[in-house]
C-alpha cells in the first residue's frame, strides 16, 4: 500500500472511531440526564393542574393583555430585551433566539427615558413612591429571558394582586415565599422570586 493510501486509510479510521465516540457519548449523557435529572434535562418544563405544559421555570413570560397593558391579577415580570415583533405570540418579549440585553450604556438617553417612564408607571400602578420601585422592575436581565424578580419588586405588587383576586395579603405573601429561591450556600447571588411559577400557583389556588 502506498504512503498516500495508508494516510487516507488512517484518516478514514480516525473519522470512524471519533464518530462512534461522539455518538456513544451523546447517548450516554442523554441517558444519564434522563435517568438522573429528567426534569432539568427536558428543559425544566412546568405543567398546570390539568397536566398541560404551560412554560419553563427557566424562561420568563409576559402577563399583559393584547394591548401590552399589565394584567392586574398577575405579578409582573421584569422587562425583556429579547423580542421579535414579527411573531404573533403572547410571549414575543421572551423569544429565546434573541436572548440578549439592551446593549445600551447607563448614559444612553433612550434608556434613561425608558427607565424613568417605566418607573413612574409602575409607581402609579402599585400605589407606591417612585423611589420604592426597585431597579429590576425597570431594567432587563443580561439574557432578556430571566423569569425572576427581586423580593422587593414582588413585595410592592402583593397588595394589587390580593385585591384583584379577593385574597388576603397574607395568602399572597405566603405564595411569594414558596416561590422564592434563596442565595446559594447562603451567600452566592441574591434571593429571587420566580414570576412564572408564582402566577401559576395563584391561578391554581382554590
Amino acid at each position: 500500500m502506498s504512503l498516500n493510501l495508508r494516510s487516507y486509510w488512517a484518516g478514514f479510521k480516525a473519522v470512524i472511531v471519533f464518530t462512534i465516540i461522539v455518538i456513544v457519548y451523546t447517548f450516554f449523557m442523554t441517558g444519564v440526564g434522563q435517568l438522573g435529572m429528567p426534569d432539568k434535562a427536558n428543559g425544566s418544563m412546568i405543567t398546570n393542574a390539568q397536566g398541560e405544559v404551560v412554560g419553563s421555570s427557566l424562561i420568563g413570560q409576559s402577563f399583559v393583555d393584547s394591548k401590552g397593558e399589565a394584567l392586574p391579577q398577575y405579578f409582573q415580570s421584569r422587562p425583556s430585551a429579547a423580542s421579535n415583533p414579527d411573531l404573533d405570540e403572547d410571549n414575543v418579549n421572551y423569544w429565546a433566539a434573541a436572548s440578549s440585553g439592551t446593549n445600551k450604556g447607563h448614559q444612553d438617553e433612550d434608556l434613561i427615558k425608558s427607565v424613568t417612564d417605566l418607573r413612574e408607571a409602575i409607581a402609579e400602578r402599585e400605589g407606591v413612591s417612585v423611589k420604592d420601585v426597585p431597579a429590576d422592575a425597570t431594567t432587563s436581565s443580561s439574557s432578556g429571558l430571566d423569569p425572576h424578580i427581586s423580593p422587593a419588586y414582588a413585595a410592592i405588587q402583593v397588595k394589587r394582586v390580593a385585591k384583584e383576586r379577593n385574597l388576603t395579603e397574607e395568602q399572597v405573601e405566603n405564595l411569594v415565599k414558596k416561590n422564592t429561591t434563596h442565595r446559594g450556600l447562603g451567600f452566592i447571588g441574591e434571593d429571587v422570586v420566580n414570576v412564572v411559577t408564582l402566577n401559576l400557583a395563584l391561578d391554581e389556588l382554590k
Side-chain angles (χ1 to χ4, degrees):
M1 183 180 294
S2 68
L3 180 61
N4 284 341
L5 287 178
R6 285 200 298 271
S7 297
Y8 290 144
W9 177 240
F12 177 73
K13 288 191 293 183
V15 170
I16 295 299
V17 170
F18 284 111
T19 299
I20 292 174
I21 290 175
V22 169
I23 292 174
V24 170
Y25 174 80
T26 301
F27 276 97
F28 174 75
M29 294 306 296
T30 300
V32 169
Q34 292 299 324
L35 291 174
M37 51 187 75
D39 177 62
K40 295 183 182 299
N42 291 318
S44 300
M45 308 307 288
I46 52 178
T47 57
N48 58 20
Q50 291 71 46
E52 303 168 326
V53 175
V54 294
S56 167
S57 62
L58 303 176
I59 305 294
Q61 294 184 21
S62 296
F63 296 93
V64 298
D65 60 21
S66 59
K67 296 180 180 179
E69 298 294 330
L71 292 170
Q73 70 271 33
Y74 288 107
F75 279 86
Q76 294 301 305
S77 308
R78 66 187 303 178
S80 170
S83 63
N84 183 349
D86 295 328
L87 291 179
D88 184 21
E89 299 179 0
D90 292 337
N91 292 319
V92 64
N93 289 324
Y94 290 90
W95 191 47
S99 176
S100 68
T102 63
N103 293 323
K104 293 182 178 180
H106 66 282
Q107 293 183 330
D108 184 274
E109 293 183 359
D110 290 337
L111 178 62
I112 294 174
K113 184 179 187 306
S114 173
V115 168
T116 300
D117 291 346
L118 188 53
R119 179 178 287 117
E120 291 176 353
I122 292 174
E124 182 178 358
R125 184 182 72 210
E126 308 302 345
V128 299
S129 169
V130 171
K131 65 181 179 60
D132 291 328
V133 178
D136 64 298
T138 60
T139 55
S140 65
S141 64
S142 58
S143 70
L145 306 176
D146 194 349
H148 301 104
I149 60 175
S150 65
Y153 188 24
I156 66 172
Q157 300 187 64
V158 167
K159 184 175 182 179
R160 165 178 53 81
V161 173
K163 179 180 179 181
E164 290 292 330
R165 291 178 177 267
N166 293 317
L167 300 172
T168 65
E169 292 184 25
E170 183 179 5
Q171 286 177 296
V172 178
E173 287 171 348
N174 286 336
L175 284 181
V176 170
K177 291 178 181 177
K178 290 180 180 178
N179 289 278
T180 297
T181 301
H182 299 289
R183 294 180 176 185
L185 302 178
F187 67 93
I188 300 175
E190 299 291 340
D191 290 357
V192 291
V193 180
N194 193 310
V195 179
V196 177
T197 58
L198 173 57
N199 283 335
L200 178 61
L202 281 167
D203 282 343
E204 296 182 346
L205 192 63
K206 302 298 182 181

